[in-house]
Amino acid sequence: MTDLAGPDVPSRAQGPGGRLGLPVLVAFTRRAGPALLGFAAIRLLGVVVLALWDGDERKDALHLLSGRWDSVWYASIAEHGYGRTVVAEDGGVHSDLAFFPLLPWLERAVSAVSPLSAGEAGLVVSAVASLAAAAGLFALGELLHGRRAGTLLALLWAAVPVGIVQSMAYTESLFTALAAWALYALLTGRWVAAGVLSAASGLSRPAGLAVAAAIAAAAVVDRLGDPERRRIPLGPLWAVVLAPSGWAAYVLWVGARSGQPLGYLDVQGGWGNGFDGGLGFARFIAEKFTDGAPLAGVGLCAGVALLAWVCLLLVRLRPPLPLLVYTAVLVLLAVCAAGYFGSKPRLLLPAFPLLLPAAVALAGARRPAAAVTVGVAAVGASVYGALWLTGSGPP
């Protein structure tokens, strides 16, 4: 099999490699311990700052994290199943079919065996999933650049400005956990596991297509790496088949339920969402300059430029092709999608490979400098998260 992790990375040499067992998991947990503890501390800081930020009972931390915006829709699905539709003031038809089912399934399971409401169960799912995601980021970072880089990758992901979403009853943490471990399985040659995890990610968010695309790219590289091989290995074949199956199953189910083959696109259209190649986002930025908010326009342009620069840094780092494909698809889906533009930073949250250049750079810096950088980022993210969630619009 072609070494997808790159020529300088011994497959299965690091991370929870080899056959999974208690000794392997204990050893991995010891190595990942600082990353997981630091991740939990940063996320706890964000929740504490949010709780202290606003004394308005209508905006208490529990309500902000589990009882507003998309969280309400997921909880409704968990409690009552699909079928809720709301007609917005602008005439848009908002159907709960826009939301993929894995998080509501898990919320229903947790609330069935506990006294928690569906929304509160969503917080439990997100908390566990965020730790699993941090472990997956550590495993990938350690595999590619060593233990310190893996630790910093997990910490930086916790400390991004929109990191508070990781603590909400949203799907970002769940999807990122599944995506990270799918990519790790892929880079260490566990094709079927990668396909299964990709299928699960496709049941959590439409962005599951990014994981499936990464697996397809890896299968092509594996095939081209040994063109004289007559038979296609079953591992890559199964992975390619399984990878998009969760996403496809839900989209097909929505189509059958609505009586339209492309019914899911119609559902997204009712929410004002779609893929327009970035034209809507460009108009949104241009309107800031024409509607008397030039500073906002400059800020948005600076944000887009920063994203492009970070993408370039990632390419220059020469990560494995699956990571590049995964990141590219997520960035395209986030930047080039129409809809509520305030959600674009959140849509980029699962694009954790964008943090690899910073993690590698800090891994080579002195420990005090790295600690101060992460600390400042964590405090800034906590304050920004509180401002963001106590604002008027959804993240």
Side-chain angles (χ1 to χ4, degrees):
M1 188 200 84
T2 303
D3 188 1
L4 296 172
D8 299 324
V9 181
S11 180
R12 303 175 187 259
Q14 300 177 38
R19 293 184 178 181
L20 290 179
L22 184 58
V24 173
L25 293 177
V26 169
F28 173 74
T29 302
R30 286 176 178 173
R31 295 199 310 278
L36 298 180
L37 289 173
F39 176 88
I42 293 172
R43 294 292 359 110
L44 179 61
L45 175 64
V47 173
V48 169
V49 170
L50 177 65
L52 298 175
W53 192 263
D54 196 317
D56 189 340
E57 293 182 358
R58 295 168 299 175
K59 292 185 178 181
D60 65 89
L62 179 62
H63 179 63
L64 289 169
L65 295 173
S66 67
R68 296 179 76 190
W69 307 308
D70 291 4
S71 299
V72 175
W73 289 89
Y74 286 118
S76 174
I77 296 168
E79 294 171 343
H80 309 293
Y82 284 99
R84 181 186 178 199
T85 300
V86 175
V87 179
E89 294 180 358
D90 61 1
V93 179
H94 295 177
S95 168
D96 58 9
L97 293 173
F99 299 92
F100 277 52
L102 185 56
L103 177 58
W105 288 347
L106 294 175
E107 288 180 337
R108 183 182 302 172
V110 172
S111 61
V113 297
S114 71
L116 300 176
S117 67
E120 293 166 345
L123 294 182
V124 174
V125 173
S126 289
V128 174
S130 66
L131 284 173
L137 268 61
F138 169 82
L140 280 168
E142 183 190 38
L143 178 70
L144 297 175
H145 298 286
R147 180 180 177 183
R148 193 176 179 198
T151 299
L152 286 163
L153 180 61
L155 297 182
L156 288 174
W157 189 64
V160 295
V162 294
I164 190 66
V165 176
Q166 298 163 22
S167 302
M168 298 178 69
Y170 271 41
T171 58
E172 276 72 15
S173 291
L174 179 60
F175 172 79
T176 303
L178 294 167
W181 283 110
L183 291 169
Y184 179 83
L186 183 64
L187 295 183
T188 53
R190 299 173 176 87
W191 288 95
V192 175
V196 171
L197 289 166
S198 175
S201 76
L203 285 171
S204 65
R205 292 179 64 83
L209 284 177
V211 188
I215 291 176
V220 170
V221 170
D222 181 74
R223 179 63 177 169
L224 294 178
D226 191 3
E228 296 181 359
R229 187 170 47 194
R230 293 185 177 181
R231 294 184 178 180
I232 300 177
L234 288 180
L237 181 60
W238 272 112
V240 171
V241 172
L242 288 169
S245 62
W247 178 91
Y250 181 70
V251 170
L252 290 173
W253 178 79
V254 172
R257 183 183 175 104
S258 64
Q260 300 290 334
L262 300 179
Y264 181 75
L265 297 180
D266 295 335
V267 169
Q268 287 288 355
W271 283 83
N273 297 328
F275 190 86
D276 63 1
L279 293 177
F281 188 37
R283 286 194 296 267
F284 176 75
I285 295 175
E287 288 171 358
K288 297 300 179 182
F289 292 98
T290 59
D291 292 346
L295 290 180
V298 171
L300 288 169
C301 290
V304 173
L306 177 61
L307 176 61
W309 179 62
V310 172
C311 289
L312 178 60
L313 291 178
L314 178 63
V315 172
R316 292 177 61 183
L317 193 61
R318 300 181 65 184
L321 179 64
L323 288 187
L324 281 177
V325 172
Y326 167 79
T327 307
V329 173
L330 284 181
V331 170
L332 286 174
L333 289 175
V335 175
C336 298
Y340 179 65
F341 299 114
S343 295
K344 289 191 180 295
R346 173 173 66 86
L347 297 179
L348 287 168
L349 185 59
F352 59 85
L354 293 174
L355 298 171
L356 264 176
V360 172
L362 288 175
R366 294 182 178 181
R367 290 184 182 275
V372 169
T373 301
V374 173
V376 170
V379 172
S382 299
V383 173
Y384 180 80
L387 284 169
W388 200 30
L389 289 197
T390 54
S392 59

